[in-house]
Amino acid sequence: MIDIESKEHLLNAVLEYCEDIVTVKDLSLRYVAYNKAFLKGVNATLDTPILGKTLADVLPFDCVNVIETSAQKAIKTKETQSFIAVLNYPSGNKIFKQTVTPIMKNNKVVNLLSVSTDVTKEETLKAKLITKNYQ
């Protein structure tokens, strides 16, 4: 159990220990914070300058528009948004489920917290099950 003294410590603990990809972006969709899993996912190192960059600057994937659309909808509606995206890695496709949650202060959205989980195995098994049921 982690003893949390303030909200900043909670965010730092999540960024340090979460195996899912966690990012925080400002309202211009520029990176404010991210965890080590994010660096691994974009093939970057701790020395790679990412803070202040946009999605298109960092992500080599063709799904940037889907991510941006979901983020803009979260800002506009002030509600959590989720979607599934297929990312094409040199080693093969991976399927990620991303949840984008607005961070509120004084009833205004100030940042966006995104958590992405690799659901490749689950989605592959689901597709096989659907195919089998159709047969």
Side-chain angles (χ1 to χ4, degrees):
M1 180 134 192
I2 300 172
D3 184 21
I4 303 301
E5 295 177 11
S6 69
K7 293 177 185 174
E8 291 79 22
H9 292 300
L10 175 61
L11 179 58
N12 289 337
V14 169
L15 292 175
E16 180 67 27
Y17 299 108
C18 186
E19 293 180 9
D20 291 335
I21 295 171
V22 179
T23 63
V24 179
K25 294 183 255 344
D26 63 16
L27 299 182
S28 299
L29 303 183
R30 294 185 179 278
Y31 290 99
V32 176
Y34 49 85
N35 66 349
K36 291 177 186 174
F38 173 74
L39 291 175
K40 183 179 177 186
V42 297
N43 294 323
T45 65
L46 290 173
D47 299 331
T48 306
I50 293 177
L51 293 180
K53 291 192 175 184
T54 66
L55 293 164
D57 293 335
V58 176
L59 299 177
F61 307 112
D62 56 356
C63 64
V64 169
N65 289 338
V66 174
I67 298 170
E68 287 177 347
T69 301
S70 181
Q72 292 297 343
K73 188 172 182 182
I75 292 169
K76 184 177 179 182
T77 64
K78 299 180 182 179
E79 294 178 359
T80 299
Q81 303 295 315
S82 295
F83 64 93
I84 293 180
V86 178
L87 306 180
N88 301 312
Y89 285 93
S91 60
N93 292 349
K94 289 195 177 192
I95 303 169
F96 284 90
K97 178 179 181 183
Q98 185 173 85
T99 303
V100 181
T101 303
I103 299 173
M104 308 289 288
K105 186 174 185 177
N106 297 327
N107 203 28
K108 290 177 118 178
V109 178
V110 292
N111 290 102
L112 295 171
L113 173 69
S114 300
V115 178
S116 303
T117 305
D118 185 349
V119 293
T120 306
K121 290 179 184 176
E122 292 85 350
E123 291 297 317
T124 303
L125 289 173
K126 190 187 306 182
K128 286 180 181 179
L129 179 64
I130 290 170
T131 301
K132 187 175 180 179
N133 284 340
Y134 280 127
Q135 291 176 350

mmCIF file of all heavy atoms in Angstrom, residues 91-128:
data_model
loop_
_atom_site.group_PDB
_atom_site.id
_atom_site.type_symbol
_atom_site.label_atom_id
_atom_site.label_comp_id
_atom_site.label_asym_id
_atom_site.label_seq_id
_atom_site.Cartn_x
_atom_site.Cartn_y
_atom_site.Cartn_z
ATOM 1 N N SER A 91 6.948 -5.177 -35.215
ATOM 2 C CA SER A 91 6.812 -6.570 -34.775
ATOM 3 C C SER A 91 5.392 -7.114 -34.949
ATOM 4 O O SER A 91 5.138 -8.281 -34.689
ATOM 5 C CB SER A 91 7.222 -6.686 -33.310
ATOM 6 O OG SER A 91 6.406 -5.864 -32.504
ATOM 7 N N GLY A 92 4.459 -6.288 -35.385
ATOM 8 C CA GLY A 92 3.074 -6.719 -35.578
ATOM 9 C C GLY A 92 2.094 -5.741 -34.970
ATOM 10 O O GLY A 92 2.477 -4.841 -34.224
ATOM 11 N N ASN A 93 0.830 -5.926 -35.301
ATOM 12 C CA ASN A 93 -0.214 -5.028 -34.796
ATOM 13 C C ASN A 93 -0.494 -5.278 -33.319
ATOM 14 O O ASN A 93 -0.458 -6.418 -32.858
ATOM 15 C CB ASN A 93 -1.502 -5.224 -35.583
ATOM 16 C CG ASN A 93 -1.379 -4.751 -37.003
ATOM 17 O OD1 ASN A 93 -0.423 -4.093 -37.367
ATOM 18 N ND2 ASN A 93 -2.357 -5.096 -37.820
ATOM 19 N N LYS A 94 -0.790 -4.202 -32.606
ATOM 20 C CA LYS A 94 -1.235 -4.290 -31.218
ATOM 21 C C LYS A 94 -2.524 -3.497 -31.102
ATOM 22 O O LYS A 94 -2.689 -2.476 -31.746
ATOM 23 C CB LYS A 94 -0.185 -3.736 -30.262
ATOM 24 C CG LYS A 94 1.031 -4.613 -30.142
ATOM 25 C CD LYS A 94 1.846 -4.223 -28.950
ATOM 26 C CE LYS A 94 3.007 -5.188 -28.828
ATOM 27 N NZ LYS A 94 3.677 -5.065 -27.554
ATOM 28 N N ILE A 95 -3.418 -4.003 -30.275
ATOM 29 C CA ILE A 95 -4.705 -3.349 -30.061
ATOM 30 C C ILE A 95 -4.704 -2.753 -28.661
ATOM 31 O O ILE A 95 -4.424 -3.448 -27.683
ATOM 32 C CB ILE A 95 -5.861 -4.357 -30.232
ATOM 33 C CG1 ILE A 95 -5.790 -5.002 -31.608
ATOM 34 C CG2 ILE A 95 -7.209 -3.672 -30.015
ATOM 35 C CD1 ILE A 95 -6.715 -6.186 -31.784
ATOM 36 N N PHE A 96 -5.011 -1.462 -28.587
ATOM 37 C CA PHE A 96 -5.037 -0.758 -27.312
ATOM 38 C C PHE A 96 -6.418 -0.180 -27.061
ATOM 39 O O PHE A 96 -7.053 0.327 -27.972
ATOM 40 C CB PHE A 96 -4.025 0.393 -27.293
ATOM 41 C CG PHE A 96 -2.609 -0.061 -27.116
ATOM 42 C CD1 PHE A 96 -1.822 -0.365 -28.208
ATOM 43 C CD2 PHE A 96 -2.074 -0.193 -25.848
ATOM 44 C CE1 PHE A 96 -0.513 -0.789 -28.051
ATOM 45 C CE2 PHE A 96 -0.768 -0.617 -25.672
ATOM 46 C CZ PHE A 96 0.015 -0.910 -26.781
ATOM 47 N N LYS A 97 -6.844 -0.271 -25.804
ATOM 48 C CA LYS A 97 -8.052 0.418 -25.368
ATOM 49 C C LYS A 97 -7.583 1.621 -24.576
ATOM 50 O O LYS A 97 -6.785 1.494 -23.643
ATOM 51 C CB LYS A 97 -8.926 -0.469 -24.494
ATOM 52 C CG LYS A 97 -10.159 0.256 -24.002
ATOM 53 C CD LYS A 97 -11.049 -0.613 -23.160
ATOM 54 C CE LYS A 97 -12.275 0.182 -22.740
ATOM 55 N NZ LYS A 97 -13.125 -0.592 -21.859
ATOM 56 N N GLN A 98 -8.037 2.807 -24.972
ATOM 57 C CA GLN A 98 -7.637 4.018 -24.271
ATOM 58 C C GLN A 98 -8.850 4.683 -23.638
ATOM 59 O O GLN A 98 -9.905 4.775 -24.253
ATOM 60 C CB GLN A 98 -6.946 5.016 -25.200
ATOM 61 C CG GLN A 98 -6.432 6.233 -24.440
ATOM 62 C CD GLN A 98 -5.607 7.155 -25.303
ATOM 63 O OE1 GLN A 98 -6.168 8.009 -25.978
ATOM 64 N NE2 GLN A 98 -4.306 6.969 -25.285
ATOM 65 N N THR A 99 -8.669 5.118 -22.408
ATOM 66 C CA THR A 99 -9.677 5.879 -21.695
ATOM 67 C C THR A 99 -9.102 7.260 -21.428
ATOM 68 O O THR A 99 -8.009 7.379 -20.876
ATOM 69 C CB THR A 99 -10.049 5.186 -20.369
ATOM 70 O OG1 THR A 99 -10.503 3.865 -20.658
ATOM 71 C CG2 THR A 99 -11.130 5.946 -19.629
ATOM 72 N N VAL A 100 -9.841 8.282 -21.844
ATOM 73 C CA VAL A 100 -9.419 9.673 -21.664
ATOM 74 C C VAL A 100 -10.369 10.314 -20.659
ATOM 75 O O VAL A 100 -11.582 10.338 -20.874
ATOM 76 C CB VAL A 100 -9.467 10.452 -22.999
ATOM 77 C CG1 VAL A 100 -9.016 11.882 -22.799
ATOM 78 C CG2 VAL A 100 -8.646 9.758 -24.061
ATOM 79 N N THR A 101 -9.800 10.823 -19.569
ATOM 80 C CA THR A 101 -10.586 11.422 -18.503
ATOM 81 C C THR A 101 -10.176 12.876 -18.302
ATOM 82 O O THR A 101 -8.992 13.163 -18.139
ATOM 83 C CB THR A 101 -10.377 10.652 -17.186
ATOM 84 O OG1 THR A 101 -10.722 9.280 -17.396
ATOM 85 C CG2 THR A 101 -11.223 11.224 -16.069
ATOM 86 N N PRO A 102 -11.139 13.794 -18.323
ATOM 87 C CA PRO A 102 -10.795 15.191 -18.062
ATOM 88 C C PRO A 102 -10.432 15.394 -16.592
ATOM 89 O O PRO A 102 -11.068 14.837 -15.706
ATOM 90 C CB PRO A 102 -12.064 15.968 -18.429
ATOM 91 C CG PRO A 102 -13.150 14.966 -18.515
ATOM 92 C CD PRO A 102 -12.551 13.614 -18.650
ATOM 93 N N ILE A 103 -9.390 16.170 -16.352
ATOM 94 C CA ILE A 103 -9.013 16.560 -14.998
ATOM 95 C C ILE A 103 -9.611 17.950 -14.772
ATOM 96 O O ILE A 103 -9.328 18.877 -15.522
ATOM 97 C CB ILE A 103 -7.481 16.584 -14.833
ATOM 98 C CG1 ILE A 103 -6.906 15.187 -15.092
ATOM 99 C CG2 ILE A 103 -7.103 17.093 -13.442
ATOM 100 C CD1 ILE A 103 -5.399 15.141 -15.121
ATOM 101 N N MET A 104 -10.457 18.045 -13.765
ATOM 102 C CA MET A 104 -11.225 19.266 -13.523
ATOM 103 C C MET A 104 -10.655 20.064 -12.354
ATOM 104 O O MET A 104 -10.155 19.506 -11.388
ATOM 105 C CB MET A 104 -12.674 18.908 -13.202
ATOM 106 C CG MET A 104 -13.356 17.985 -14.205
ATOM 107 S SD MET A 104 -13.712 18.763 -15.748
ATOM 108 C CE MET A 104 -15.034 19.818 -15.258
ATOM 109 N N LYS A 105 -10.754 21.392 -12.474
ATOM 110 C CA LYS A 105 -10.421 22.307 -11.377
ATOM 111 C C LYS A 105 -11.389 23.471 -11.476
ATOM 112 O O LYS A 105 -11.494 24.108 -12.515
ATOM 113 C CB LYS A 105 -8.979 22.790 -11.499
ATOM 114 C CG LYS A 105 -8.520 23.629 -10.332
ATOM 115 C CD LYS A 105 -7.045 23.942 -10.445
ATOM 116 C CE LYS A 105 -6.579 24.666 -9.204
ATOM 117 N NZ LYS A 105 -5.132 24.917 -9.272
ATOM 118 N N ASN A 106 -12.124 23.701 -10.399
ATOM 119 C CA ASN A 106 -13.145 24.760 -10.374
ATOM 120 C C ASN A 106 -14.138 24.597 -11.528
ATOM 121 O O ASN A 106 -14.480 25.559 -12.210
ATOM 122 C CB ASN A 106 -12.508 26.148 -10.407
ATOM 123 C CG ASN A 106 -11.645 26.411 -9.200
ATOM 124 O OD1 ASN A 106 -11.931 25.922 -8.109
ATOM 125 N ND2 ASN A 106 -10.577 27.164 -9.393
ATOM 126 N N ASN A 107 -14.565 23.354 -11.764
ATOM 127 C CA ASN A 107 -15.539 22.998 -12.799
ATOM 128 C C ASN A 107 -15.058 23.317 -14.220
ATOM 129 O O ASN A 107 -15.864 23.495 -15.120
ATOM 130 C CB ASN A 107 -16.895 23.650 -12.531
ATOM 131 C CG ASN A 107 -18.022 22.885 -13.206
ATOM 132 O OD1 ASN A 107 -17.924 21.675 -13.416
ATOM 133 N ND2 ASN A 107 -19.080 23.587 -13.545
ATOM 134 N N LYS A 108 -13.758 23.422 -14.419
ATOM 135 C CA LYS A 108 -13.184 23.634 -15.743
ATOM 136 C C LYS A 108 -12.187 22.525 -16.018
ATOM 137 O O LYS A 108 -11.467 22.098 -15.114
ATOM 138 C CB LYS A 108 -12.464 24.986 -15.831
ATOM 139 C CG LYS A 108 -13.369 26.187 -15.799
ATOM 140 C CD LYS A 108 -12.538 27.432 -15.827
ATOM 141 C CE LYS A 108 -12.876 28.215 -17.073
ATOM 142 N NZ LYS A 108 -12.150 29.479 -17.172
ATOM 143 N N VAL A 109 -12.139 22.065 -17.252
ATOM 144 C CA VAL A 109 -11.156 21.065 -17.646
ATOM 145 C C VAL A 109 -9.798 21.752 -17.741
ATOM 146 O O VAL A 109 -9.650 22.766 -18.423
ATOM 147 C CB VAL A 109 -11.528 20.421 -19.004
ATOM 148 C CG1 VAL A 109 -10.471 19.422 -19.424
ATOM 149 C CG2 VAL A 109 -12.897 19.768 -18.950
ATOM 150 N N VAL A 110 -8.810 21.218 -17.033
ATOM 151 C CA VAL A 110 -7.465 21.806 -17.059
ATOM 152 C C VAL A 110 -6.437 20.886 -17.726
ATOM 153 O O VAL A 110 -5.436 21.365 -18.243
ATOM 154 C CB VAL A 110 -6.981 22.200 -15.648
ATOM 155 C CG1 VAL A 110 -7.802 23.352 -15.099
ATOM 156 C CG2 VAL A 110 -7.000 21.020 -14.698
ATOM 157 N N ASN A 111 -6.670 19.573 -17.683
ATOM 158 C CA ASN A 111 -5.779 18.597 -18.297
ATOM 159 C C ASN A 111 -6.580 17.362 -18.662
ATOM 160 O O ASN A 111 -7.749 17.228 -18.279
ATOM 161 C CB ASN A 111 -4.657 18.179 -17.337
ATOM 162 C CG ASN A 111 -3.653 19.272 -17.076
ATOM 163 O OD1 ASN A 111 -3.703 19.914 -16.034
ATOM 164 N ND2 ASN A 111 -2.748 19.498 -18.005
ATOM 165 N N LEU A 112 -5.930 16.459 -19.375
ATOM 166 C CA LEU A 112 -6.537 15.179 -19.726
ATOM 167 C C LEU A 112 -5.626 14.048 -19.267
ATOM 168 O O LEU A 112 -4.419 14.075 -19.538
ATOM 169 C CB LEU A 112 -6.727 15.060 -21.240
ATOM 170 C CG LEU A 112 -7.711 16.026 -21.868
ATOM 171 C CD1 LEU A 112 -7.637 15.935 -23.388
ATOM 172 C CD2 LEU A 112 -9.125 15.727 -21.393
ATOM 173 N N LEU A 113 -6.199 13.078 -18.583
ATOM 174 C CA LEU A 113 -5.478 11.885 -18.155
ATOM 175 C C LEU A 113 -5.886 10.742 -19.074
ATOM 176 O O LEU A 113 -7.079 10.458 -19.212
ATOM 177 C CB LEU A 113 -5.815 11.543 -16.701
ATOM 178 C CG LEU A 113 -5.263 10.218 -16.177
ATOM 179 C CD1 LEU A 113 -3.743 10.296 -16.054
ATOM 180 C CD2 LEU A 113 -5.890 9.885 -14.840
ATOM 181 N N SER A 114 -4.913 10.118 -19.713
ATOM 182 C CA SER A 114 -5.195 9.004 -20.620
ATOM 183 C C SER A 114 -4.516 7.749 -20.109
ATOM 184 O O SER A 114 -3.339 7.782 -19.738
ATOM 185 C CB SER A 114 -4.674 9.305 -22.028
ATOM 186 O OG SER A 114 -5.271 10.450 -22.547
ATOM 187 N N VAL A 115 -5.267 6.654 -20.104
ATOM 188 C CA VAL A 115 -4.721 5.358 -19.717
ATOM 189 C C VAL A 115 -5.005 4.399 -20.867
ATOM 190 O O VAL A 115 -6.146 4.230 -21.285
ATOM 191 C CB VAL A 115 -5.362 4.830 -18.414
ATOM 192 C CG1 VAL A 115 -4.803 3.467 -18.058
ATOM 193 C CG2 VAL A 115 -5.155 5.818 -17.276
ATOM 194 N N SER A 116 -3.927 3.801 -21.394
ATOM 195 C CA SER A 116 -4.043 2.874 -22.516
ATOM 196 C C SER A 116 -3.603 1.487 -22.077
ATOM 197 O O SER A 116 -2.533 1.325 -21.495
ATOM 198 C CB SER A 116 -3.164 3.328 -23.687
ATOM 199 O OG SER A 116 -3.510 4.623 -24.083
ATOM 200 N N THR A 117 -4.437 0.494 -22.376
ATOM 201 C CA THR A 117 -4.171 -0.881 -22.001
ATOM 202 C C THR A 117 -4.052 -1.732 -23.258
ATOM 203 O O THR A 117 -4.877 -1.617 -24.162
ATOM 204 C CB THR A 117 -5.326 -1.435 -21.132
ATOM 205 O OG1 THR A 117 -5.511 -0.554 -20.017
ATOM 206 C CG2 THR A 117 -5.038 -2.819 -20.639
ATOM 207 N N ASP A 118 -3.046 -2.583 -23.301
ATOM 208 C CA ASP A 118 -2.869 -3.500 -24.421
ATOM 209 C C ASP A 118 -3.905 -4.619 -24.289
ATOM 210 O O ASP A 118 -3.865 -5.406 -23.347
ATOM 211 C CB ASP A 118 -1.457 -4.081 -24.405
ATOM 212 C CG ASP A 118 -1.151 -4.953 -25.615
ATOM 213 O OD1 ASP A 118 -2.082 -5.301 -26.379
ATOM 214 O OD2 ASP A 118 0.028 -5.296 -25.797
ATOM 215 N N VAL A 119 -4.863 -4.653 -25.206
ATOM 216 C CA VAL A 119 -5.926 -5.669 -25.184
ATOM 217 C C VAL A 119 -5.831 -6.575 -26.411
ATOM 218 O O VAL A 119 -6.830 -7.156 -26.831
ATOM 219 C CB VAL A 119 -7.330 -5.012 -25.083
ATOM 220 C CG1 VAL A 119 -7.520 -4.320 -23.754
ATOM 221 C CG2 VAL A 119 -7.582 -4.066 -26.241
ATOM 222 N N THR A 120 -4.635 -6.707 -26.958
ATOM 223 C CA THR A 120 -4.442 -7.504 -28.175
ATOM 224 C C THR A 120 -4.913 -8.942 -27.978
ATOM 225 O O THR A 120 -5.659 -9.468 -28.808
ATOM 226 C CB THR A 120 -2.956 -7.478 -28.598
ATOM 227 O OG1 THR A 120 -2.534 -6.120 -28.725
ATOM 228 C CG2 THR A 120 -2.748 -8.212 -29.906
ATOM 229 N N LYS A 121 -4.489 -9.581 -26.897
ATOM 230 C CA LYS A 121 -4.861 -10.982 -26.661
ATOM 231 C C LYS A 121 -6.366 -11.137 -26.521
ATOM 232 O O LYS A 121 -6.962 -12.027 -27.121
ATOM 233 C CB LYS A 121 -4.161 -11.522 -25.414
ATOM 234 C CG LYS A 121 -2.677 -11.698 -25.591
ATOM 235 C CD LYS A 121 -2.030 -12.211 -24.316
ATOM 236 C CE LYS A 121 -0.524 -12.280 -24.477
ATOM 237 N NZ LYS A 121 0.156 -12.681 -23.251
ATOM 238 N N GLU A 122 -6.983 -10.251 -25.739
ATOM 239 C CA GLU A 122 -8.425 -10.340 -25.513
ATOM 240 C C GLU A 122 -9.206 -10.147 -26.810
ATOM 241 O O GLU A 122 -10.146 -10.889 -27.104
ATOM 242 C CB GLU A 122 -8.877 -9.309 -24.480
ATOM 243 C CG GLU A 122 -8.375 -9.558 -23.069
ATOM 244 C CD GLU A 122 -6.988 -8.985 -22.808
ATOM 245 O OE1 GLU A 122 -6.316 -8.543 -23.775
ATOM 246 O OE2 GLU A 122 -6.564 -8.994 -21.655
ATOM 247 N N GLU A 123 -8.821 -9.142 -27.597
ATOM 248 C CA GLU A 123 -9.531 -8.866 -28.844
ATOM 249 C C GLU A 123 -9.311 -9.977 -29.866
ATOM 250 O O GLU A 123 -10.224 -10.321 -30.624
ATOM 251 C CB GLU A 123 -9.097 -7.513 -29.417
ATOM 252 C CG GLU A 123 -9.553 -6.327 -28.590
ATOM 253 C CD GLU A 123 -11.065 -6.196 -28.505
ATOM 254 O OE1 GLU A 123 -11.752 -6.363 -29.534
ATOM 255 O OE2 GLU A 123 -11.575 -5.910 -27.401
ATOM 256 N N THR A 124 -8.119 -10.573 -29.892
ATOM 257 C CA THR A 124 -7.844 -11.686 -30.803
ATOM 258 C C THR A 124 -8.690 -12.893 -30.433
ATOM 259 O O THR A 124 -9.286 -13.539 -31.312
ATOM 260 C CB THR A 124 -6.342 -12.049 -30.770
ATOM 261 O OG1 THR A 124 -5.579 -10.894 -31.110
ATOM 262 C CG2 THR A 124 -6.019 -13.174 -31.726
ATOM 263 N N LEU A 125 -8.760 -13.190 -29.144
ATOM 264 C CA LEU A 125 -9.596 -14.307 -28.691
ATOM 265 C C LEU A 125 -11.075 -14.045 -28.965
ATOM 266 O O LEU A 125 -11.812 -14.954 -29.366
ATOM 267 C CB LEU A 125 -9.372 -14.563 -27.197
ATOM 268 C CG LEU A 125 -8.027 -15.172 -26.824
ATOM 269 C CD1 LEU A 125 -7.860 -15.209 -25.305
ATOM 270 C CD2 LEU A 125 -7.887 -16.570 -27.404
ATOM 271 N N LYS A 126 -11.509 -12.803 -28.774
ATOM 272 C CA LYS A 126 -12.897 -12.448 -29.040
ATOM 273 C C LYS A 126 -13.228 -12.653 -30.520
ATOM 274 O O LYS A 126 -14.273 -13.198 -30.865
ATOM 275 C CB LYS A 126 -13.155 -10.997 -28.637
ATOM 276 C CG LYS A 126 -14.622 -10.610 -28.660
ATOM 277 C CD LYS A 126 -14.852 -9.126 -28.426
ATOM 278 C CE LYS A 126 -14.232 -8.581 -27.191
ATOM 279 N NZ LYS A 126 -14.532 -7.133 -26.993
ATOM 280 N N ALA A 127 -12.316 -12.224 -31.398
ATOM 281 C CA ALA A 127 -12.529 -12.390 -32.848
ATOM 282 C C ALA A 127 -12.583 -13.862 -33.222
ATOM 283 O O ALA A 127 -13.415 -14.273 -34.045
ATOM 284 C CB ALA A 127 -11.426 -11.680 -33.621
ATOM 285 N N LYS A 128 -11.723 -14.678 -32.619
ATOM 286 C CA LYS A 128 -11.737 -16.123 -32.898
ATOM 287 C C LYS A 128 -13.038 -16.750 -32.434
ATOM 288 O O LYS A 128 -13.602 -17.610 -33.110
ATOM 289 C CB LYS A 128 -10.549 -16.804 -32.223
ATOM 290 C CG LYS A 128 -9.232 -16.528 -32.894
ATOM 291 C CD LYS A 128 -8.088 -17.240 -32.179
ATOM 292 C CE LYS A 128 -6.766 -16.946 -32.834
ATOM 293 N NZ LYS A 128 -5.630 -17.586 -32.165
#
